[in-house]
Amino acid sequence: MPLILAVDDSPSMRKMVSFTLAGAGYQVVEAVDGQDAYEKALQQHFDLVLTDQNMPRLDGLGLTRKLREHPNFKTTPILMLTTESSDLMKQAGRAAGATGWLVKPFDPARLLEVIKKVIK
């Protein structure tokens, strides 16, 4: 069963994402911000990271860059799930190493479809 790290500073968004993923058979570990996520990522292997952009301590792009520098996360899919939808932000996401970009509010079916495509 694939393990997904879900990162968002909004408790309600984390719950919605976790509920959607668990319902589709994924195991989920939640993180409250990028720093919390990075610390958890160093402790265990994740098959995918799903992160918000705008968070305290470490934002999604910062988390993506830090994970990509780590050998265990060179090829791990990292999806941004955020309210940010500008082309400039998406370009910054690609430059940081993000695999994909989804805009909130999210469609659960679309989220699962994208995850199924990128997860190994």
Side-chain angles (χ1 to χ4, degrees):
M1 182 182 311
L3 183 60
I4 297 177
L5 180 58
V7 191
D8 203 302
D9 57 323
S10 160
S12 60
M13 184 54 70
R14 279 196 314 274
K15 288 290 169 241
M16 253 193 316
V17 167
S18 290
F19 179 79
T20 300
L21 298 176
Y26 296 105
Q27 282 183 291
V28 183
V29 171
E30 296 180 12
V32 299
D33 60 30
Q35 188 59 43
D36 183 35
Y38 188 70
E39 289 163 12
K40 287 177 176 169
L42 295 179
Q43 316 247 328
Q44 67 187 115
H45 170 78
F46 290 96
D47 298 293
L48 181 132
V49 177
L50 183 64
T51 182
D52 185 20
Q53 164 52 21
N54 300 312
M55 299 178 289
R57 297 204 304 158
L58 184 63
D59 67 15
L61 293 177
L63 171 62
T64 300
R65 279 191 286 272
K66 278 184 87 159
L67 287 174
R68 287 297 183 224
E69 288 169 4
H70 197 282
N72 294 354
F73 288 90
K74 290 272 187 228
T75 60
T76 302
I78 301 174
L79 296 177
M80 302 291 294
L81 179 61
T82 176
T83 56
E84 298 285 347
S85 61
S86 74
D87 286 339
L88 204 59
M89 276 306 268
K90 290 177 185 174
Q91 283 172 358
R94 275 193 293 278
T99 310
W101 197 278
L102 296 151
V103 179
K104 293 177 192 171
F106 72 96
D107 169 28
R110 174 85 180 114
L111 175 64
L112 294 172
E113 182 185 306
V114 171
I115 287 173
K116 207 182 277 184
K117 259 186 210 159
V118 299
I119 218 164
K120 288 186 174 91

